[in-house]
């Protein structure tokens, strides 16, 4: 089978960390042809979708460096969208092109419609019984009032990733007004504000979910003095067993994930609270599998196997 990975520019992919490369290695080990392209390399002619793609051999470290080939997505067994946020105008246009491929019968993971309509920071709010106390607002007064009630809160942009723009706010801190001003672009931009939760370990959990079923989990621990648990800002990561809480929360999410065409997600939890549902490019496979970066990990292979079964 030909598999097309829509990824960020190859020079941004880290073989020791990137889950896209882990999935590519698993695909190559299974004998599939691995192709990669950027979203900007998609096009539509006569109602058919094409990609200016490069063959990738992740086992040898060759990622998108060979000659380009114009690939008809009708001839691709599965398109895996693995491009990082922001979900901006360029990203949205690419999902519209992928709609044509999906309608012609090419499976796309995750669904283009889901990528457009499922905001990773806001989706969890569909399950208020699972989330921390949360306010979404651009109002400095409303946000400051919530911080005053909670004592400590985490402010997050609605369209970023990797801990970018995430701020810890504390009631009474002299920088509180300025931080809210910066986060909201002086009241012009909505942000997510969640009550700060600390489980005593300065960590969170990333649960990888395929077809609504949890398959593996990762504990991410902040690098002091930073409070953010994102690996992109230096947090450490360790594979951990799935818990009953992980399974119970995923069971609640499952109908909505499946109904939206979200085959692969990264569910973020602190204690028993749902924080985010990542669907654009869930990470953690390399850290869960461990071992040398050039080997095929058990969990990466299991995730790919499940995604291929879903595509069929």
């Amino acid at each position: 089978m030909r598999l097309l990975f829509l990824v960020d520019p190859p020079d941004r992919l880290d073989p020791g960390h990137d889950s896209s490369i882990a999935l590519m290695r698993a695909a190559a080990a299974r004998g599939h042809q691995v192709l990669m392209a950027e979203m900007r390399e998609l096009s539509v002619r006569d109602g058919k979708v094409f990609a200016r793609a490069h063959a990738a051999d992740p086992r040898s470290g060759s990622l998108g460096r060979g000659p380009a080939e114009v690939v008809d997505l009708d001839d691709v067994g599965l398109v895996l969208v693995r491009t990082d946020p922001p979900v901006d105008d360029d990203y949205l246009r690419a999902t519209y092109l992928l709609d044509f491929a999906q309608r012609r019968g090419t499976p796309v993971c995750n669904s283009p419609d889901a990528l457009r309509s499922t905001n990773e920071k806001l989706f969890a709010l569909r399950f208020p019984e699972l989330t921390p106390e949360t306010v979404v607002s651009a109002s400095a007064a409303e946000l400051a009032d919530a911080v005053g009630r909670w004592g400590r809160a985490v402010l997050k942009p609605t369209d970023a990733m990797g801990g970018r723009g995430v701020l810890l706010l504390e009631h009474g801190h002299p920088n509180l007004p300025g931080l809210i001003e910066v986060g909201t672009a002086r009241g012009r931009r909505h942000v997510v504000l969640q009550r700060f939760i600390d489980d005593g370990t300065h960590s969170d959990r990333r649960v990888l979910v395929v077809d609504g079923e949890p398959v593996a989990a990762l504990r991410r621990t902040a690098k002091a003095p930073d409070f953010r648990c994102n690996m992109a800002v230096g947090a450490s990561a360790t594979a951990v067993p799935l818990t009953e809480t992980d399974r119970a929360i995923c069971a609640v999410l499952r109908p909505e994930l499946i109904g939206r065409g979200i085959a692969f997600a990264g569910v973020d939890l602190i204690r028993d609270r749902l924080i985010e549902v990542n669907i654009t490019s869930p990470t953690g496979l390399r850290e869960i599998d461990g071992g040398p970066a050039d080997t095929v990990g058990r969990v990466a292979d299991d995730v790919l196997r499940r995604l291929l079964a879903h595509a069929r």
Side-chain angles (χ1 to χ4, degrees), residues 142-308:
E142 189 171 10
L143 295 168
D145 178 69
V147 177
R149 286 185 281 112
W150 301 336
R152 302 177 86 192
V154 176
L155 182 151
K156 297 186 286 189
T158 63
D159 60 354
M161 58 159 290
R164 297 172 192 163
V166 177
L167 303 171
L168 180 62
L169 306 184
E170 296 186 349
H171 177 59
H173 195 285
N175 281 337
L176 177 61
L179 292 173
I180 292 177
E181 182 179 286
V182 169
T184 63
R186 294 190 173 184
R188 296 191 300 272
R189 181 187 304 129
H190 283 83
V191 295
V192 177
L193 189 75
Q194 291 182 327
R195 186 168 188 164
F196 180 77
I197 301 174
D198 185 2
D199 69 353
T201 67
H202 306 291
S203 65
D204 69 4
R205 297 173 63 84
R206 161 64 57 87
V207 180
L208 296 179
V209 180
V210 182
D211 262 351
E213 297 293 335
V215 297
L218 186 73
R219 179 174 293 280
R220 305 181 301 184
T221 303
K223 181 180 179 181
D226 204 334
F227 77 99
R228 294 171 296 175
C229 298
N230 306 87
M231 292 180 285
V233 295
S236 59
T238 307
V240 291
L242 289 165
T243 68
E244 289 305 311
T245 297
D246 298 338
R247 298 182 191 280
I249 290 176
C250 290
V252 175
L253 299 180
R254 186 173 189 271
E256 187 80 13
L257 293 175
I258 291 176
R260 286 172 170 260
I262 300 172
F264 189 25
V267 174
D268 291 347
L269 311 171
I270 299 179
R271 287 200 319 234
D272 61 348
R273 297 292 87 188
L274 172 66
I275 307 301
E276 293 180 16
V277 179
N278 297 270
I279 69 164
T280 52
S281 54
T283 61
L285 286 173
R286 284 290 305 117
E287 290 76 14
I288 289 172
D289 274 323
D294 59 351
T295 60
V296 176
R298 177 188 60 80
V299 176
D301 184 69
D302 184 41
V303 168
L304 179 70
R305 177 183 59 80
R306 290 169 183 259
L307 292 176
L308 291 172

